[in-house]
Amino acid sequence: MMYAVGLISVVLIASLQVSVAPLFPISGAEADLGLIAILGTAIIAGPRAAMLVTPALALAIGMAGSRSPGLMLVAYAAILPLAAFVEDLPYPLGRFPRLVFVAVFAGMWGRVLLGIAAMASGGDFAVRALLFQVLLPGLAFDLVLIAAVFAATQAAGIRPRRFTLQRAGWLP
C-alpha cells in the first residue's frame, strides 16, 4: 500500500512540476518541486524512503518534461549525501537550519547543473542571467516552500526524522 501511495505521489509531483510550476515563475525561475518532495520525504519518512523516491522522481520529472532523466538524477543525487553530511556536522543547529542549508546547496547544485547543461547544448553563455534570474529567485522560492512543508509537519505533530541511516556493524 505504501509503495502505491509513493508511486502516485511521484507521478503527481512530476505532473505538477511540468504543468503547474512553470505557470508561476519568479523572474524566470520556477519552484523545484522534486527537491521539496525529496526533502519532505526525508523529514517525514526518513532517508530510506527518500532513497527510493529520489531516482523515481528524477526519472519521472525528466521523462514528463523536456529535461534529460539522467541529468535530473545527477541533480537530485546530491541531496541525501549532503543531508547526511550536514547531519553529522558538530555544530549545534536545529532541524530547520539544517534543512535550509541542505535546500539551499542542493537547489544551487541542481540549478547550476541544469544551467550548464543548457549552455552546453547551445544556449547563450549568460552567467549573470543564470545567477540573478534563475538561481537566486529559485532558491528563494524553494526556501518558502520548504518552510511551509516544515511548518505543516510541525503543525501535524510529525517529528522531523534524522537524515542519516542507522549505523550497524556486520555482526548481530
Side-chain angles (χ1 to χ4, degrees), residues 72-115:
M72 293 304 299
L73 186 59
V74 171
Y76 289 154
I79 296 171
L80 291 175
L82 179 63
F85 173 74
V86 169
E87 188 75 33
D88 289 337
L89 288 176
Y91 304 116
L93 293 174
R95 290 274 174 238
F96 185 67
R98 290 177 194 265
L99 182 64
V100 166
F101 184 83
V102 171
V104 166
F105 282 98
M108 193 178 334
W109 162 255
R111 284 185 173 83
V112 168
L113 184 69
L114 292 173

Coordinates of all heavy atoms in Angstrom, one line a residue, residues 72-115:
M72 N 18.6 15.0 -14.5 CA 17.8 15.2 -13.3 C 18.2 14.2 -12.2 O 18.2 14.6 -11.0 CB 16.3 14.9 -13.6 CG 15.7 16.0 -14.5 SD 15.8 17.7 -14.0 CE 14.9 17.6 -12.4
L73 N 18.6 13.0 -12.5 CA 19.1 12.1 -11.5 C 20.4 12.6 -10.9 O 20.6 12.5 -9.7 CB 19.3 10.7 -12.1 CG 19.6 9.6 -11.2 CD1 18.6 9.4 -10.1 CD2 19.8 8.3 -11.9
V74 N 21.3 13.1 -11.7 CA 22.5 13.7 -11.2 C 22.2 14.9 -10.3 O 22.9 15.1 -9.3 CB 23.5 14.0 -12.3 CG1 24.7 14.8 -11.8 CG2 24.0 12.8 -13.0
A75 N 21.3 15.7 -10.7 CA 20.9 16.9 -9.9 C 20.3 16.6 -8.6 O 20.6 17.2 -7.6 CB 19.9 17.8 -10.7
Y76 N 19.5 15.5 -8.5 CA 18.9 15.1 -7.3 C 19.7 14.2 -6.4 O 19.5 14.0 -5.3 CB 17.5 14.5 -7.5 CG 16.5 15.4 -8.0 CD1 15.4 15.0 -8.7 CD2 16.5 16.8 -7.7 CE1 14.4 15.9 -9.1 CE2 15.5 17.7 -8.1 CZ 14.5 17.2 -8.8 OH 13.5 18.1 -9.2
A77 N 20.7 13.6 -7.0 CA 21.5 12.6 -6.3 C 22.4 13.2 -5.2 O 22.8 12.5 -4.3 CB 22.4 11.8 -7.3
A78 N 22.6 14.5 -5.2 CA 23.4 15.2 -4.2 C 22.6 15.5 -2.9 O 23.2 15.8 -1.9 CB 24.0 16.4 -4.8
I79 N 21.3 15.4 -3.0 CA 20.5 15.8 -1.8 C 20.8 15.0 -0.6 O 21.1 15.5 0.5 CB 19.0 15.8 -2.2 CG1 18.7 16.8 -3.3 CG2 18.1 16.1 -1.0 CD1 17.3 16.7 -3.9
L80 N 20.6 13.7 -0.7 CA 20.7 12.9 0.5 C 22.2 12.8 1.1 O 22.3 12.8 2.3 CB 20.2 11.5 0.3 CG 18.6 11.5 0.1 CD1 18.1 10.1 -0.3 CD2 17.9 12.0 1.3
P81 N 23.2 12.6 0.3 CA 24.5 12.7 0.9 C 24.9 14.0 1.5 O 25.5 14.1 2.6 CB 25.5 12.4 -0.3 CG 24.7 11.7 -1.3 CD 23.3 12.2 -1.1
L82 N 24.4 15.1 0.9 CA 24.6 16.4 1.5 C 23.8 16.5 2.9 O 24.3 17.0 3.9 CB 24.1 17.5 0.6 CG 24.2 19.0 1.1 CD1 25.7 19.3 1.4 CD2 23.6 19.9 0.1
A83 N 22.6 16.0 2.9 CA 21.8 16.0 4.1 C 22.5 15.2 5.2 O 22.5 15.6 6.4 CB 20.4 15.5 3.9
A84 N 23.1 14.0 4.9 CA 23.8 13.2 5.9 C 25.0 13.9 6.3 O 25.3 13.8 7.5 CB 24.1 11.8 5.2
F85 N 25.7 14.6 5.5 CA 26.9 15.3 5.8 C 26.6 16.4 6.8 O 27.2 16.6 7.8 CB 27.6 15.9 4.6 CG 28.7 16.8 4.9 CD1 30.0 16.3 5.4 CD2 28.6 18.2 4.8 CE1 31.0 17.2 5.6 CE2 29.6 19.0 5.1 CZ 30.9 18.5 5.5
V86 N 25.5 17.2 6.5 CA 25.1 18.3 7.4 C 24.6 17.7 8.7 O 24.9 18.3 9.8 CB 24.0 19.1 6.7 CG1 23.3 20.1 7.6 CG2 24.6 19.9 5.5
E87 N 24.0 16.6 8.7 CA 23.5 16.0 10.0 C 24.7 15.6 10.9 O 24.6 15.7 12.1 CB 22.7 14.7 9.7 CG 22.0 14.1 10.8 CD 20.8 14.9 11.2 OE1 20.1 15.5 10.4 OE2 20.5 14.9 12.4
D88 N 25.8 15.2 10.3 CA 27.0 14.8 11.1 C 27.9 16.0 11.5 O 28.9 15.8 12.2 CB 27.8 13.8 10.3 CG 27.1 12.4 10.3 OD1 26.2 12.2 11.1 OD2 27.4 11.7 9.4
L89 N 27.6 17.2 11.1 CA 28.4 18.4 11.5 C 28.3 18.6 13.0 O 27.2 18.4 13.6 CB 27.9 19.6 10.8 CG 28.2 19.7 9.3 CD1 27.6 21.0 8.7 CD2 29.7 19.6 9.0
P90 N 29.4 19.0 13.6 CA 29.4 19.1 15.1 C 28.8 20.4 15.6 O 29.0 20.7 16.8 CB 30.9 19.0 15.4 CG 31.6 19.5 14.2 CD 30.7 19.1 13.0
Y91 N 28.1 21.1 14.8 CA 27.6 22.4 15.2 C 26.2 22.3 15.8 O 25.4 21.4 15.3 CB 27.5 23.4 14.0 CG 28.9 23.5 13.3 CD1 29.1 23.1 12.0 CD2 30.0 24.1 14.0 CE1 30.3 23.3 11.4 CE2 31.2 24.2 13.4 CZ 31.4 23.8 12.1 OH 32.6 23.9 11.5
P92 N 25.9 23.1 16.8 CA 24.6 22.9 17.5 C 23.5 23.6 16.7 O 23.0 24.7 17.0 CB 24.8 23.6 18.8 CG 25.9 24.6 18.5 CD 26.7 24.0 17.5
L93 N 23.1 23.0 15.6 CA 22.0 23.5 14.8 C 20.7 22.7 14.9 O 20.8 21.5 15.1 CB 22.4 23.5 13.3 CG 23.5 24.4 12.9 CD1 23.9 24.2 11.4 CD2 23.1 25.9 13.1
G94 N 19.6 23.3 14.9 CA 18.3 22.6 14.9 C 18.0 21.9 13.6 O 18.7 22.1 12.6
R95 N 16.8 21.3 13.5 CA 16.4 20.6 12.3 C 16.1 21.6 11.2 O 16.5 21.4 10.0 CB 15.2 19.8 12.6 CG 15.4 18.6 13.4 CD 15.8 17.5 12.5 NE 16.2 16.4 13.4 CZ 17.3 15.8 13.4 NH1 18.2 16.2 12.6 NH2 17.6 14.8 14.3
F96 N 15.5 22.7 11.5 CA 15.1 23.7 10.4 C 16.4 24.3 9.8 O 16.4 24.4 8.6 CB 14.1 24.7 10.9 CG 13.6 25.6 9.8 CD1 12.9 25.1 8.8 CD2 14.0 26.9 9.8 CE1 12.4 25.9 7.8 CE2 13.6 27.8 8.8 CZ 12.8 27.3 7.8
P97 N 17.3 24.8 10.6 CA 18.5 25.4 9.9 C 19.3 24.4 9.1 O 19.8 24.7 8.0 CB 19.4 25.9 11.1 CG 18.4 26.1 12.2 CD 17.4 25.1 12.0
R98 N 19.3 23.1 9.5 CA 20.0 22.1 8.7 C 19.2 21.8 7.4 O 19.8 21.7 6.4 CB 20.1 20.8 9.5 CG 21.1 20.9 10.7 CD 21.1 19.6 11.5 NE 21.8 19.7 12.7 CZ 23.1 19.4 12.9 NH1 23.8 18.9 11.9 NH2 23.6 19.6 14.1
L99 N 17.9 21.8 7.5 CA 17.1 21.7 6.3 C 17.2 22.8 5.4 O 17.3 22.6 4.2 CB 15.6 21.5 6.8 CG 14.6 21.3 5.7 CD1 14.8 19.9 5.1 CD2 13.2 21.3 6.3
V100 N 17.3 24.0 5.9 CA 17.5 25.2 5.0 C 18.9 25.1 4.3 O 19.0 25.4 3.1 CB 17.4 26.5 5.8 CG1 17.9 27.7 5.1 CG2 15.9 26.7 6.2
F101 N 19.9 24.7 5.0 CA 21.2 24.6 4.5 C 21.2 23.6 3.3 O 21.8 23.8 2.3 CB 22.2 24.2 5.6 CG 23.6 24.1 5.2 CD1 24.4 25.2 5.1 CD2 24.2 22.9 4.8 CE1 25.8 25.1 4.7 CE2 25.5 22.8 4.4 CZ 26.3 23.9 4.3
V102 N 20.6 22.4 3.6 CA 20.6 21.4 2.5 C 19.7 21.9 1.3 O 20.1 21.7 0.2 CB 20.0 20.1 3.1 CG1 19.7 19.1 2.0 CG2 20.9 19.5 4.2
A103 N 18.6 22.5 1.6 CA 17.8 23.0 0.5 C 18.5 24.0 -0.4 O 18.4 24.0 -1.6 CB 16.5 23.6 1.0
V104 N 19.3 24.9 0.3 CA 20.0 26.0 -0.5 C 21.1 25.3 -1.3 O 21.2 25.6 -2.5 CB 20.6 27.0 0.5 CG1 21.6 27.9 -0.2 CG2 19.5 27.9 1.1
F105 N 21.9 24.5 -0.7 CA 23.0 23.9 -1.5 C 22.6 22.9 -2.5 O 23.1 22.9 -3.6 CB 24.1 23.4 -0.6 CG 24.9 24.5 0.0 CD1 24.7 25.0 1.2 CD2 25.9 25.1 -0.8 CE1 25.5 26.1 1.7 CE2 26.7 26.1 -0.3 CZ 26.5 26.6 1.0
A106 N 21.6 22.1 -2.2 CA 21.1 21.1 -3.2 C 20.4 21.8 -4.3 O 20.5 21.5 -5.5 CB 20.2 20.1 -2.5
G107 N 19.6 22.9 -4.0 CA 18.9 23.7 -5.1 C 19.9 24.4 -5.9 O 19.7 24.5 -7.2
M108 N 21.0 24.9 -5.3 CA 22.0 25.6 -6.1 C 22.7 24.6 -7.0 O 22.9 24.9 -8.2 CB 23.0 26.2 -5.1 CG 24.0 27.2 -5.8 SD 25.2 28.0 -4.7 CE 24.4 28.0 -3.1
W109 N 23.1 23.4 -6.5 CA 23.7 22.4 -7.3 C 22.8 22.0 -8.5 O 23.3 22.0 -9.6 CB 24.0 21.2 -6.5 CG 24.3 19.9 -7.2 CD1 23.5 18.9 -7.4 CD2 25.5 19.6 -8.0 NE1 24.0 17.9 -8.2 CE2 25.3 18.4 -8.6 CE3 26.7 20.3 -8.2 CZ2 26.3 17.8 -9.4 CZ3 27.6 19.7 -9.0 CH2 27.4 18.4 -9.6
G110 N 21.6 21.8 -8.3 CA 20.7 21.3 -9.4 C 20.5 22.4 -10.4 O 20.6 22.2 -11.6
R111 N 20.3 23.7 -10.0 CA 20.1 24.7 -10.9 C 21.3 25.1 -11.7 O 21.3 25.4 -12.9 CB 19.5 26.0 -10.2 CG 18.1 25.8 -9.8 CD 17.5 27.1 -9.2 NE 16.1 27.0 -9.1 CZ 15.5 26.4 -8.0 NH1 16.3 25.9 -7.1 NH2 14.2 26.3 -7.9
V112 N 22.5 25.1 -11.1 CA 23.7 25.3 -11.8 C 24.0 24.2 -12.8 O 24.4 24.5 -13.9 CB 24.9 25.5 -10.8 CG1 26.2 25.5 -11.5 CG2 24.7 26.8 -10.1
L113 N 23.8 23.0 -12.4 CA 24.0 21.8 -13.3 C 23.1 21.9 -14.5 O 23.5 21.7 -15.6 CB 23.7 20.5 -12.5 CG 24.0 19.3 -13.3 CD1 25.5 19.1 -13.5 CD2 23.5 18.1 -12.5
L114 N 21.8 22.2 -14.3 CA 20.9 22.4 -15.4 C 21.2 23.6 -16.3 O 21.0 23.5 -17.5 CB 19.4 22.5 -14.9 CG 18.9 21.2 -14.2 CD1 17.5 21.5 -13.6 CD2 18.8 20.1 -15.2
G115 N 21.7 24.7 -15.7 CA 22.1 25.8 -16.4 C 23.3 25.5 -17.3 O 23.4 25.9 -18.4

